[in-house]
Amino acid sequence: MHTMPGHGVSTAAFSPAAAMPSFETGARQGRLRQYQLQLIERIQAARSGALAARKELGVMLGGRPCLLDLTQLGEIVIAAGVQIQGVPLAQDWYLGLAAMRGRLTGVVDLARYMGEPACAPGNHCRIITFSPRLGLNCALLVERVLGLRQLRAMQSVPVHDAAPGVLPSWAAQALRDSEGQEWRRLDLAQLAQSARFLDAGFGGFPEHKDLC
C-alpha cells in the first residue's frame, strides 16, 4: 500500500496503556485468547476447503455487521496490543504501520474508509491481516469480531442503504440470516485491487468512487 506525506494519524489510543483497562482480569484475558485461537484454527481449516464454502467471519464495522471470507484472512490480533506508527499526510482512514510478525503492515480503519464513523478504541477492537495470497501487506481495524456465520442459512437481499450502482463491487452484496439480521458481505480480494485503497495519500483519488 503506497502512502504520501501529510497530516498523519494519531494512534496513541490503540497503545496497550490507553486501550486495556486495569480492571480486566487474567481469567477474561485467557478466555479472549482461547476464543481467538479457536478462530485462527477455523480460518486455517478454511484454507484447506473444509469450511470455505460454509462459513465466513462476522465483524462489526461502523455499527454494521459484515462478513469476511475466511480464505482471504490471515491473523486476528487484539488491537490494544499493537503499536501503530502514524504516516504523515495519509488519509484519515490509513492509521499507519505496525510491526506484525517482524513485517511492517499497513493498518486501515475500514469503517472510516467506507464513510462510517471511525472505530472507537477499546479492548473489543481487533486487527485482521490479509491473507498472503492477496499480495498486499495490509490489515484492517474492526470494532469487534462476531464469530463465524453459516452462509447456507442466509438469503441474498437487496442493499437498502444505497442507490443502485453506487456501491463498489467489493461491498455490493447483502445477506439476511434466519433471525432477520442483515449482513454486508465484503470481498477483500477486490478491495485490495481498488485504486483508492492502494493510494492512502492526500492527492490520490478525489472522487472516492468506492465509498459505501
Side-chain angles (χ1 to χ4, degrees), residues 148-203:
L148 298 177
R149 292 296 184 271
Q150 189 74 261
L151 282 185
R152 64 185 178 189
M154 297 185 180
Q155 294 183 338
S156 180
V157 295
V159 178
H160 300 296
D161 56 356
V166 171
L167 290 175
S169 59
W170 60 269
Q173 184 179 10
L175 300 170
R176 183 177 292 126
D177 62 25
S178 58
E179 298 178 353
Q181 176 67 63
E182 188 168 311
W183 299 77
R184 182 70 57 80
R185 191 168 185 237
L186 308 181
D187 186 338
L188 300 186
Q190 290 191 46
L191 175 64
Q193 298 176 15
S194 164
R196 175 176 169 245
F197 190 76
L198 291 171
D199 191 332
F202 274 116

Side-chain angles (χ1 to χ4, degrees), residues 44-131:
Q44 291 172 342
R47 294 197 185 107
S48 69
L51 295 174
R54 298 186 291 117
K55 295 184 179 180
E56 295 200 349
L57 184 67
V59 298
M60 190 67 75
L61 288 167
R64 172 189 293 165
C66 296
L67 294 169
L68 303 177
D69 185 337
L70 290 174
T71 64
Q72 297 178 349
L73 308 181
E75 295 184 272
I76 303 172
V77 299
I78 298 174
V82 178
Q83 294 285 348
I84 305 174
Q85 179 63 49
V87 175
L89 285 181
Q91 297 283 359
D92 58 3
W93 46 264
Y94 187 80
L95 299 179
L97 296 169
M100 304 182 70
R101 289 195 176 273
R103 299 180 63 188
L104 285 178
T105 300
V107 182
V108 169
D109 184 339
L110 190 57
R112 180 172 280 187
Y113 178 85
M114 295 165 67
E116 305 288 349
C119 181
N123 63 353
H124 49 77
C125 297
R126 297 292 182 268
I127 292 177
I128 304 176
T129 63
F130 282 21
S131 167

